Amino acid sequence: MKGASSRSAIAACYAYGLISAAVLGHFLYGVPIQVSDSFSNILSVRPGWDLFFAQGFSGQSYLRPLLWADIKLVFDASHGDYTPWYRGVHVAQIFAAVLLTVGLIRPRNWHDAATVPLGLAALLGMHTFKGTIVEAFPVNTFLTIVLCCLAAANLALAARPRWWTDAIGILIFIAAALTVESGLLVWVVFAGAALFGARGISRVGLAILTAMLVGYFILRFGFLHTGAPSLDERSSGFGFAVLDPPQLVERFGENPGIFYLYNVVASFASVLFSEPRAGVFRFVRAVATGTVMPAYVATLVATTTGTLLIAAYLWQRRQAWWRRDFDRADQIVAVFLMVLAANAVISYPYTKDVIMSAAGAFYAAALAVAAQRVLRSGLDHAGGLRILATVAICLVLGTTWAVRAADAHVNVRFAAFKERNDWAYEDSRMSRRGIVLPPDDRAIFDQLRQDAIRGPAPPNLWLWDVPIFDLD
Amino acid sequence: MRTWAPSLALVSPLAAATIVLAALAIGERTGRPLFAVDAARNSAEAVALGDAAAVVRFLQAGEDPQRVYPLRPEAISSSVLRATTLQAAVLSRRVEMVILLDHAGTLREPALRQELACLAADVNQPGIAVVLVPSGADCMPGAALKRWLDRSRPEE
């Protein structure tokens, strides 16, 4: 039974995924569209498609035309019913992310199925995923990139290339690359998978994708002269604190290379150990000041134990890798490592947990497939002590990731409370700042505000007072 | 059984968390929320609990912010069990709630602003007192607090 394929096990995994997505979707649907970031973006796309060209192709630091196209498409499709449409798209994205992750893990029997809840808990509970659910702009483009990368991996790891896998792969790359810069990771997924023997995309398809990547850089830097974010644009974590743009300029203006290197290393380590967070060594600071919260420990233990499991997997497979004898699990772990490295490099201008969300998603898939192999081998010819150790590791992994997954839901509910209050307060805040909206904008404001505050509100769980949950 | 022990150890806490979260979601969808603390029952309680959205909803539904409402002990404190919506904002020390109520047009009368500013001064909230009467309220120390206590005493 352990090795044979089981339809009921596969069905159970997808059913579990659907339940997980539906539960998170329920929590997410109760969150109003946020005032900050979202409201101004909605107003920006209201007049027409001008912004798609004006801002999408002529930004000084960013090339993100499809980001505006996504917002505009949903705006037009909603016919004024903004909140259900934007939130509906967000919930649909969650379903897609969960199903694509199950598809990538591809459980084949009950033994594999046991690691799917772990993979999904790591996907939803990873700190890098938090920004994809508690925020929206009002379409969460970071989540769009996670979806594109997961879809790309599913295509790349298909048994053999077909013309349509190439075509879909190219479309995914175009969509992702022109949405936000981290969309370039789609190419890393395709190239990385091919490097490790995956044959879902043909050589011609890979050549076209590579040509398009080169074309992206030529378009961006050669024709549009779109640069990269500079030090004075955003706050960023460094060491034990967040530095504002003037502080960053004062400290690194002469030699930003050190700051950029720090960001790359910090982003890389953040996925593997949940430390530093957004560039700040939060746990170390808490230890030094005696303010360690149980939530910090749970987060650190969950990711570090998972990382050690992936490391154990790599150790077990070292000879096969040396022989270039890769199976699907190897390819998933390899793609994770390459996406992690590339994602960290892309994060060089500033650190933010959510920027690493693509690497976080592949961490989840790699953790699940590593757990399948390590658990299986840990039991072959195992004595009582080894089984006991394996059970203990499983219990630690299961418990800490269960806490992390629950934490995601608590954060979403907290966001619902916070966003509702922000909408309630926003009128008096604008009044104090002397902001008077034009009538058309005011109508949208009033509608979004009513959507946010009309009852009944999502029940208040008050779980954010429990220190095991980590609220920003 | 021995070979399934690690899988069970891995899956059990994860499945348990999913079941609890699913039960929460189903309970909420069917109108029977589990573990949830009761929502604010009136605008004064909403103010005290910091639920600005509920405050706006209660006011839009026509609640009088100058009426005395019952408060649960956990809303402000066990000694504050009755207050108007406006008093609750002062007594719960929520300056942004006072600004919200002001913007909603509930603080138009100068005498009312003066009275609340004095109450704010009595409970050591000078920031709120300044918001209510920027030029400085003319108060007799302790008098506004006493008037609130007299008015908020439950009827015999």
Side-chain angles (χ1 to χ4, degrees):
Chain A
M1 185 169 177
K2 196 166 82 172
S5 180
S6 163
R7 280 176 185 272
S8 53
I10 296 167
C13 290
Y14 279 99
Y16 185 89
L18 286 172
I19 291 169
S20 300
V23 171
L24 184 57
H26 162 77
F27 279 75
L28 195 54
Y29 204 72
V31 184
I33 289 173
Q34 70 208 53
V35 184
S36 61
D37 293 334
S38 293
F39 176 56
S40 58
N41 283 356
I42 288 175
L43 293 186
S44 298
V45 300
R46 186 179 54 80
W49 285 88
D50 307 1
L51 197 79
F52 170 69
F53 298 102
Q55 197 154 320
F57 285 105
S58 62
Q60 287 194 332
S61 310
Y62 304 101
L63 178 61
R64 300 173 172 179
L66 292 186
L67 179 150
W68 298 105
D70 288 349
I71 300 169
K72 177 65 175 163
L73 276 174
V74 182
F75 181 88
D76 288 349
S78 72
H79 294 291
D81 213 2
Y82 309 120
T83 303
W85 270 81
Y86 281 114
R87 273 296 162 226
V89 167
H90 206 164
V91 171
Q93 285 184 309
I94 293 295
F95 270 92
V98 166
L99 293 178
L100 285 168
T101 302
V102 177
L104 188 59
I105 296 169
R106 206 168 70 174
R108 281 286 171 259
N109 50 52
W110 284 107
H111 173 84
D112 295 350
T115 63
V116 168
L118 175 67
L120 293 182
L123 174 77
L124 305 179
M126 193 76 178
H127 62 285
T128 53
F129 200 72
K130 191 186 282 186
T132 69
I133 47 177
V134 298
E135 291 180 321
F137 318 106
V139 175
N140 193 303
T141 41
F142 290 109
L143 187 50
T144 305
I145 300 307
V146 169
L147 292 180
C148 288
C149 288
L150 288 172
N154 274 279
L155 283 178
L157 269 60
R160 62 187 176 88
R162 294 182 175 87
W163 69 266
W164 54 266
T165 54
D166 285 359
I168 295 172
I170 289 164
L171 286 176
I172 289 173
F173 176 78
I174 294 170
L178 296 179
T179 298
V180 289
E181 284 71 11
S182 54
L184 298 177
L185 292 172
V186 166
W187 181 85
V188 176
V189 172
F190 284 130
L195 204 62
F196 280 77
R199 292 288 169 261
I201 299 290
S202 70
R203 287 179 190 278
V204 173
L206 284 169
I208 293 170
L209 284 162
T210 305
M212 294 182 86
L213 178 73
V214 173
Y216 172 90
F217 285 108
I218 292 171
L219 174 73
R220 178 173 182 134
F221 297 108
F223 286 94
L224 299 174
H225 303 292
T226 308
S230 55
L231 284 177
D232 59 357
E233 287 188 35
R234 288 172 184 267
S235 301
S236 192
F238 188 83
F240 297 109
V242 174
L243 302 181
D244 290 329
Q247 293 172 303
L248 289 171
V249 171
E250 185 189 339
R251 217 154 150 184
F252 303 106
E254 295 293 309
N255 189 11
I258 294 169
F259 176 64
Y260 294 153
L261 181 64
Y262 174 84
N263 289 342
V264 172
V265 175
S267 299
F268 191 91
S270 177
V271 173
L272 298 178
F273 309 108
S274 297
E275 181 77 356
R277 290 285 297 274
V280 176
F281 282 87
R282 189 182 69 159
F283 184 79
V284 177
R285 184 180 62 189
V287 169
T289 56
T291 54
V292 177
M293 302 265 291
Y296 298 178
V297 179
T299 308
L300 192 77
V301 171
T303 34
T304 305
T305 311
T307 299
L308 290 173
L309 195 76
I310 294 170
Y313 171 90
L314 288 167
W315 178 254
Q316 280 190 6
R317 295 288 297 162
R318 66 192 184 283
Q319 287 174 337
W321 282 42
W322 186 251
R323 294 194 308 271
R324 292 193 56 75
D325 176 18
F326 306 115
D327 63 15
R328 185 182 174 90
D330 295 328
Q331 289 161 350
I332 290 171
V333 174
V335 168
F336 159 60
L337 294 173
M338 279 186 283
V339 169
L340 172 63
N343 206 163
V345 169
I346 286 176
S347 302
Y348 81 92
Y350 59 95
T351 48
K352 197 176 169 189
D353 286 345
V354 73
I355 299 176
M356 296 300 292
S357 48
F362 281 98
Y363 172 94
L367 176 59
V369 296
Q372 287 170 9
R373 173 109 45 185
V374 172
L375 291 185
R376 199 180 299 146
S377 64
L379 299 173
D380 291 342
H381 319 294
L385 202 62
R386 191 159 179 182
I387 287 185
L388 206 63
T390 309
V391 168
I393 291 168
C394 287
L395 208 55
V396 169
L397 270 174
T399 306
T400 51
W401 279 111
V403 169
R404 296 300 308 147
D407 177 90
H409 296 75
V410 173
N411 268 278
V412 171
R413 182 52 54 86
F414 181 68
F417 183 77
K418 183 179 163 297
E419 298 305 336
R420 277 165 48 82
N421 274 2
D422 277 351
W423 277 108
Y425 284 129
E426 189 59 18
D427 221 3
S428 60
R429 286 172 185 165
M430 285 199 307
S431 178
R432 268 184 289 162
R433 292 196 298 260
I435 297 171
V436 180
L437 294 172
D440 287 349
D441 294 356
R442 180 75 214 186
I444 293 178
F445 176 88
D446 287 340
Q447 187 181 337
L448 291 173
R449 186 170 188 256
Q450 277 307 113
D451 284 350
I453 64 177
R454 74 172 160 225
N460 197 338
L461 300 175
W462 298 111
L463 283 173
W464 40 84
D465 290 334
V466 181
I468 197 76
F469 297 117
D470 189 6
L471 294 170
D472 291 329
Chain B
M1 180 61 204
R2 198 175 72 160
T3 54
W4 284 102
S7 296
L8 281 175
L10 183 65
V11 169
S12 301
L14 294 161
T18 302
I19 289 167
V20 170
L21 290 166
L24 274 172
I26 291 167
E28 289 177 8
R29 282 276 159 207
T30 56
R32 288 188 290 270
L34 311 172
F35 311 132
V37 175
D38 286 342
R41 291 174 301 193
N42 55 58
S43 54
E45 238 177 41
V47 161
L49 294 170
D51 191 345
V55 173
V56 174
R57 260 192 313 119
F58 280 119
L59 295 181
Q60 285 179 346
E63 274 204 3
D64 178 4
Q66 294 193 50
R67 198 187 128 194
V68 175
Y69 294 98
L71 293 164
R72 280 171 289 175
E74 62 268 27
I76 299 178
S77 80
S78 55
S79 59
V80 182
L81 299 176
R82 287 167 63 83
T84 68
T85 310
L86 298 165
Q87 288 166 343
V90 174
L91 294 167
S92 59
R93 295 159 165 77
R94 294 184 187 276
V95 66
E96 195 156 22
M97 205 62 89
V98 173
I99 295 169
L100 174 75
L101 292 167
D102 190 10
H103 185 261
T106 63
L107 283 163
R108 292 210 174 98
E109 301 160 33
L112 179 61
R113 298 183 78 94
Q114 173 81 18
E115 178 68 10
L116 289 167
C118 291
L119 181 61
D122 286 345
V123 294
N124 200 24
Q125 290 297 305
I128 293 179
V130 168
V131 166
L132 289 162
V133 183
S135 57
D138 183 16
C139 307
M140 182 183 294
L145 188 61
K146 184 176 181 306
R147 281 193 290 277
W148 165 69
L149 283 168
D150 290 344
R151 196 180 165 199
S152 65
R153 193 167 293 135
E155 289 165 19
E156 296 293 329

